[in-house]
mmCIF file with all atom_site columns, all heavy atoms in Angstrom:
data_model
loop_
_atom_site.group_PDB
_atom_site.id
_atom_site.type_symbol
_atom_site.label_atom_id
_atom_site.label_alt_id
_atom_site.label_comp_id
_atom_site.label_asym_id
_atom_site.label_entity_id
_atom_site.label_seq_id
_atom_site.pdbx_PDB_ins_code
_atom_site.Cartn_x
_atom_site.Cartn_y
_atom_site.Cartn_z
_atom_site.occupancy
_atom_site.B_iso_or_equiv
_atom_site.pdbx_formal_charge
_atom_site.auth_seq_id
_atom_site.auth_comp_id
_atom_site.auth_asym_id
_atom_site.auth_atom_id
_atom_site.pdbx_PDB_model_num
ATOM 1   N N   . LYS A 1 153 ? 236.299 -79.463  -12.602 1.00 94.00 ? 162 LYS A N   1
ATOM 2   C CA  . LYS A 1 153 ? 235.548 -80.826  -12.956 1.00 94.00 ? 162 LYS A CA  1
ATOM 3   C C   . LYS A 1 153 ? 234.512 -80.994  -11.904 1.00 94.00 ? 162 LYS A C   1
ATOM 4   O O   . LYS A 1 153 ? 234.719 -80.655  -10.742 1.00 94.00 ? 162 LYS A O   1
ATOM 5   C CB  . LYS A 1 153 ? 236.539 -81.901  -12.752 1.00 94.00 ? 162 LYS A CB  1
ATOM 6   C CG  . LYS A 1 153 ? 237.246 -82.310  -14.007 1.00 94.00 ? 162 LYS A CG  1
ATOM 7   C CD  . LYS A 1 153 ? 237.951 -83.667  -13.813 1.00 94.00 ? 162 LYS A CD  1
ATOM 8   C CE  . LYS A 1 153 ? 239.068 -83.842  -14.732 1.00 94.00 ? 162 LYS A CE  1
ATOM 9   N NZ  . LYS A 1 153 ? 239.825 -85.118  -14.410 1.00 94.00 ? 162 LYS A NZ  1
ATOM 10  N N   . PRO A 1 154 ? 233.425 -81.484  -12.256 1.00 96.00 ? 163 PRO A N   1
ATOM 11  C CA  . PRO A 1 154 ? 232.379 -81.730  -11.369 1.00 96.00 ? 163 PRO A CA  1
ATOM 12  C C   . PRO A 1 154 ? 232.761 -82.950  -10.433 1.00 96.00 ? 163 PRO A C   1
ATOM 13  O O   . PRO A 1 154 ? 233.574 -83.779  -10.847 1.00 96.00 ? 163 PRO A O   1
ATOM 14  C CB  . PRO A 1 154 ? 231.111 -82.222  -12.182 1.00 96.00 ? 163 PRO A CB  1
ATOM 15  C CG  . PRO A 1 154 ? 231.502 -81.891  -13.560 1.00 96.00 ? 163 PRO A CG  1
ATOM 16  C CD  . PRO A 1 154 ? 232.940 -81.698  -13.707 1.00 96.00 ? 163 PRO A CD  1
ATOM 17  N N   . LEU A 1 155 ? 232.222 -82.920  -9.289  1.00 96.00 ? 164 LEU A N   1
ATOM 18  C CA  . LEU A 1 155 ? 232.416 -84.067  -8.302  1.00 96.00 ? 164 LEU A CA  1
ATOM 19  C C   . LEU A 1 155 ? 231.204 -84.869  -8.381  1.00 96.00 ? 164 LEU A C   1
ATOM 20  O O   . LEU A 1 155 ? 230.115 -84.502  -8.007  1.00 96.00 ? 164 LEU A O   1
ATOM 21  C CB  . LEU A 1 155 ? 232.759 -83.516  -6.921  1.00 96.00 ? 164 LEU A CB  1
ATOM 22  C CG  . LEU A 1 155 ? 232.751 -84.589  -5.808  1.00 96.00 ? 164 LEU A CG  1
ATOM 23  C CD1 . LEU A 1 155 ? 233.990 -85.421  -5.955  1.00 96.00 ? 164 LEU A CD1 1
ATOM 24  C CD2 . LEU A 1 155 ? 232.933 -83.793  -4.440  1.00 96.00 ? 164 LEU A CD2 1
ATOM 25  N N   . THR A 1 156 ? 231.337 -86.203  -8.695  1.00 95.00 ? 165 THR A N   1
ATOM 26  C CA  . THR A 1 156 ? 230.152 -87.079  -8.725  1.00 95.00 ? 165 THR A CA  1
ATOM 27  C C   . THR A 1 156 ? 230.128 -88.109  -7.565  1.00 95.00 ? 165 THR A C   1
ATOM 28  O O   . THR A 1 156 ? 231.080 -88.785  -7.501  1.00 95.00 ? 165 THR A O   1
ATOM 29  C CB  . THR A 1 156 ? 230.040 -87.778  -10.182 1.00 95.00 ? 165 THR A CB  1
ATOM 30  O OG1 . THR A 1 156 ? 229.994 -86.787  -11.160 1.00 95.00 ? 165 THR A OG1 1
ATOM 31  C CG2 . THR A 1 156 ? 228.753 -88.618  -10.238 1.00 95.00 ? 165 THR A CG2 1
ATOM 32  N N   . ILE A 1 157 ? 229.147 -88.023  -6.790  1.00 96.00 ? 166 ILE A N   1
ATOM 33  C CA  . ILE A 1 157 ? 229.056 -89.084  -5.768  1.00 96.00 ? 166 ILE A CA  1
ATOM 34  C C   . ILE A 1 157 ? 228.005 -90.088  -6.223  1.00 96.00 ? 166 ILE A C   1
ATOM 35  O O   . ILE A 1 157 ? 226.878 -89.749  -6.404  1.00 96.00 ? 166 ILE A O   1
ATOM 36  C CB  . ILE A 1 157 ? 228.610 -88.424  -4.442  1.00 96.00 ? 166 ILE A CB  1
ATOM 37  C CG1 . ILE A 1 157 ? 229.444 -87.193  -4.158  1.00 96.00 ? 166 ILE A CG1 1
ATOM 38  C CG2 . ILE A 1 157 ? 228.649 -89.501  -3.272  1.00 96.00 ? 166 ILE A CG2 1
ATOM 39  C CD1 . ILE A 1 157 ? 228.927 -86.448  -2.954  1.00 96.00 ? 166 ILE A CD1 1
ATOM 40  N N   . ASN A 1 158 ? 228.442 -91.308  -6.495  1.00 95.00 ? 167 ASN A N   1
ATOM 41  C CA  . ASN A 1 158 ? 227.570 -92.333  -6.950  1.00 95.00 ? 167 ASN A CA  1
ATOM 42  C C   . ASN A 1 158 ? 227.126 -93.186  -5.792  1.00 95.00 ? 167 ASN A C   1
ATOM 43  O O   . ASN A 1 158 ? 227.920 -93.764  -5.040  1.00 95.00 ? 167 ASN A O   1
ATOM 44  C CB  . ASN A 1 158 ? 228.260 -93.243  -7.913  1.00 95.00 ? 167 ASN A CB  1
ATOM 45  C CG  . ASN A 1 158 ? 228.718 -92.504  -9.096  1.00 95.00 ? 167 ASN A CG  1
ATOM 46  O OD1 . ASN A 1 158 ? 227.999 -92.213  -10.101 1.00 95.00 ? 167 ASN A OD1 1
ATOM 47  N ND2 . ASN A 1 158 ? 229.957 -92.085  -9.142  1.00 95.00 ? 167 ASN A ND2 1
ATOM 48  N N   . TYR A 1 159 ? 225.893 -93.321  -5.503  1.00 96.00 ? 168 TYR A N   1
ATOM 49  C CA  . TYR A 1 159 ? 225.256 -94.195  -4.462  1.00 96.00 ? 168 TYR A CA  1
ATOM 50  C C   . TYR A 1 159 ? 224.680 -95.355  -5.214  1.00 96.00 ? 168 TYR A C   1
ATOM 51  O O   . TYR A 1 159 ? 223.547 -95.205  -5.662  1.00 96.00 ? 168 TYR A O   1
ATOM 52  C CB  . TYR A 1 159 ? 224.212 -93.466  -3.672  1.00 96.00 ? 168 TYR A CB  1
ATOM 53  C CG  . TYR A 1 159 ? 224.700 -92.184  -3.069  1.00 96.00 ? 168 TYR A CG  1
ATOM 54  C CD1 . TYR A 1 159 ? 224.473 -90.942  -3.772  1.00 96.00 ? 168 TYR A CD1 1
ATOM 55  C CD2 . TYR A 1 159 ? 225.314 -92.081  -1.847  1.00 96.00 ? 168 TYR A CD2 1
ATOM 56  C CE1 . TYR A 1 159 ? 224.796 -89.724  -3.267  1.00 96.00 ? 168 TYR A CE1 1
ATOM 57  C CE2 . TYR A 1 159 ? 225.669 -90.799  -1.297  1.00 96.00 ? 168 TYR A CE2 1
ATOM 58  C CZ  . TYR A 1 159 ? 225.457 -89.683  -1.998  1.00 96.00 ? 168 TYR A CZ  1
ATOM 59  O OH  . TYR A 1 159 ? 225.788 -88.405  -1.441  1.00 96.00 ? 168 TYR A OH  1
ATOM 60  N N   . ASN A 1 160 ? 225.270 -96.545  -5.041  1.00 93.00 ? 169 ASN A N   1
ATOM 61  C CA  . ASN A 1 160 ? 224.761 -97.720  -5.679  1.00 93.00 ? 169 ASN A CA  1
ATOM 62  C C   . ASN A 1 160 ? 224.058 -98.620  -4.641  1.00 93.00 ? 169 ASN A C   1
ATOM 63  O O   . ASN A 1 160 ? 224.716 -98.829  -3.635  1.00 93.00 ? 169 ASN A O   1
ATOM 64  C CB  . ASN A 1 160 ? 225.893 -98.525  -6.397  1.00 93.00 ? 169 ASN A CB  1
ATOM 65  C CG  . ASN A 1 160 ? 226.549 -97.751  -7.435  1.00 93.00 ? 169 ASN A CG  1
ATOM 66  O OD1 . ASN A 1 160 ? 226.006 -96.859  -8.049  1.00 93.00 ? 169 ASN A OD1 1
ATOM 67  N ND2 . ASN A 1 160 ? 227.862 -98.009  -7.633  1.00 93.00 ? 169 ASN A ND2 1
ATOM 68  N N   . ALA A 1 161 ? 222.903 -98.949  -4.988  1.00 93.00 ? 170 ALA A N   1
ATOM 69  C CA  . ALA A 1 161 ? 222.178 -99.900  -4.167  1.00 93.00 ? 170 ALA A CA  1
ATOM 70  C C   . ALA A 1 161 ? 222.357 -101.240 -4.710  1.00 93.00 ? 170 ALA A C   1
ATOM 71  O O   . ALA A 1 161 ? 221.783 -101.484 -5.817  1.00 93.00 ? 170 ALA A O   1
ATOM 72  C CB  . ALA A 1 161 ? 220.696 -99.576  -4.007  1.00 93.00 ? 170 ALA A CB  1
ATOM 73  N N   . HIS A 1 162 ? 223.180 -102.160 -4.146  1.00 90.00 ? 171 HIS A N   1
ATOM 74  C CA  . HIS A 1 162 ? 223.593 -103.384 -4.731  1.00 90.00 ? 171 HIS A CA  1
ATOM 75  C C   . HIS A 1 162 ? 222.755 -104.493 -3.938  1.00 90.00 ? 171 HIS A C   1
ATOM 76  O O   . HIS A 1 162 ? 223.294 -105.040 -2.996  1.00 90.00 ? 171 HIS A O   1
ATOM 77  C CB  . HIS A 1 162 ? 224.952 -103.637 -4.606  1.00 90.00 ? 171 HIS A CB  1
ATOM 78  C CG  . HIS A 1 162 ? 225.513 -104.745 -5.499  1.00 90.00 ? 171 HIS A CG  1
ATOM 79  N ND1 . HIS A 1 162 ? 225.549 -104.723 -6.859  1.00 90.00 ? 171 HIS A ND1 1
ATOM 80  C CD2 . HIS A 1 162 ? 225.969 -105.967 -5.040  1.00 90.00 ? 171 HIS A CD2 1
ATOM 81  C CE1 . HIS A 1 162 ? 226.011 -105.901 -7.258  1.00 90.00 ? 171 HIS A CE1 1
ATOM 82  N NE2 . HIS A 1 162 ? 226.237 -106.679 -6.135  1.00 90.00 ? 171 HIS A NE2 1
ATOM 83  N N   . SER A 1 163 ? 221.441 -104.650 -4.303  1.00 86.00 ? 172 SER A N   1
ATOM 84  C CA  . SER A 1 163 ? 220.582 -105.541 -3.682  1.00 86.00 ? 172 SER A CA  1
ATOM 85  C C   . SER A 1 163 ? 220.626 -105.465 -2.093  1.00 86.00 ? 172 SER A C   1
ATOM 86  O O   . SER A 1 163 ? 220.878 -106.468 -1.411  1.00 86.00 ? 172 SER A O   1
ATOM 87  C CB  . SER A 1 163 ? 220.904 -106.969 -3.965  1.00 86.00 ? 172 SER A CB  1
ATOM 88  O OG  . SER A 1 163 ? 220.859 -107.138 -5.444  1.00 86.00 ? 172 SER A OG  1
ATOM 89  N N   . PRO A 1 164 ? 220.468 -104.277 -1.558  1.00 89.00 ? 173 PRO A N   1
ATOM 90  C CA  . PRO A 1 164 ? 220.553 -104.225 -0.044  1.00 89.00 ? 173 PRO A CA  1
ATOM 91  C C   . PRO A 1 164 ? 219.173 -104.572 0.598   1.00 89.00 ? 173 PRO A C   1
ATOM 92  O O   . PRO A 1 164 ? 218.661 -103.833 1.334   1.00 89.00 ? 173 PRO A O   1
ATOM 93  C CB  . PRO A 1 164 ? 220.937 -102.760 0.214   1.00 89.00 ? 173 PRO A CB  1
ATOM 94  C CG  . PRO A 1 164 ? 220.410 -102.084 -0.988  1.00 89.00 ? 173 PRO A CG  1
ATOM 95  C CD  . PRO A 1 164 ? 220.178 -103.018 -2.132  1.00 89.00 ? 173 PRO A CD  1
ATOM 96  N N   . ASP A 1 165 ? 218.645 -105.756 0.244   1.00 91.00 ? 174 ASP A N   1
ATOM 97  C CA  . ASP A 1 165 ? 217.324 -106.028 0.677   1.00 91.00 ? 174 ASP A CA  1
ATOM 98  C C   . ASP A 1 165 ? 217.180 -105.999 2.181   1.00 91.00 ? 174 ASP A C   1
ATOM 99  O O   . ASP A 1 165 ? 218.060 -106.486 2.889   1.00 91.00 ? 174 ASP A O   1
ATOM 100 C CB  . ASP A 1 165 ? 216.951 -107.475 0.185   1.00 91.00 ? 174 ASP A CB  1
ATOM 101 C CG  . ASP A 1 165 ? 215.619 -107.330 -0.616  1.00 91.00 ? 174 ASP A CG  1
ATOM 102 O OD1 . ASP A 1 165 ? 214.782 -106.596 -0.173  1.00 91.00 ? 174 ASP A OD1 1
ATOM 103 O OD2 . ASP A 1 165 ? 215.433 -108.159 -1.584  1.00 91.00 ? 174 ASP A OD2 1
ATOM 104 N N   . GLY A 1 166 ? 216.122 -105.216 2.640   1.00 93.00 ? 175 GLY A N   1
ATOM 105 C CA  . GLY A 1 166 ? 215.897 -105.243 3.991   1.00 93.00 ? 175 GLY A CA  1
ATOM 106 C C   . GLY A 1 166 ? 216.655 -104.348 4.801   1.00 93.00 ? 175 GLY A C   1
ATOM 107 O O   . GLY A 1 166 ? 216.666 -104.369 6.074   1.00 93.00 ? 175 GLY A O   1
ATOM 108 N N   . ARG A 1 167 ? 217.546 -103.485 4.229   1.00 94.00 ? 176 ARG A N   1
ATOM 109 C CA  . ARG A 1 167 ? 218.477 -102.679 4.978   1.00 94.00 ? 176 ARG A CA  1
ATOM 110 C C   . ARG A 1 167 ? 218.053 -101.266 5.163   1.00 94.00 ? 176 ARG A C   1
ATOM 111 O O   . ARG A 1 167 ? 217.247 -100.690 4.290   1.00 94.00 ? 176 ARG A O   1
ATOM 112 C CB  . ARG A 1 167 ? 219.908 -102.689 4.136   1.00 94.00 ? 176 ARG A CB  1
ATOM 113 C CG  . ARG A 1 167 ? 220.490 -103.913 3.848   1.00 94.00 ? 176 ARG A CG  1
ATOM 114 C CD  . ARG A 1 167 ? 221.269 -104.376 5.072   1.00 94.00 ? 176 ARG A CD  1
ATOM 115 N NE  . ARG A 1 167 ? 221.825 -105.678 4.772   1.00 94.00 ? 176 ARG A NE  1
ATOM 116 C CZ  . ARG A 1 167 ? 221.792 -106.650 5.668   1.00 94.00 ? 176 ARG A CZ  1
ATOM 117 N NH1 . ARG A 1 167 ? 221.389 -106.515 6.879   1.00 94.00 ? 176 ARG A NH1 1
ATOM 118 N NH2 . ARG A 1 167 ? 222.346 -107.895 5.399   1.00 94.00 ? 176 ARG A NH2 1
#
Side-chain angles (χ1 to χ4, degrees):
Chain A
K162 269 190 199 176
L164 171 66
T165 301
I166 311 172
N167 299 282
Y168 306 93
N169 300 331
H171 191 75
S172 309
D174 233 326
R176 303 273 176 225

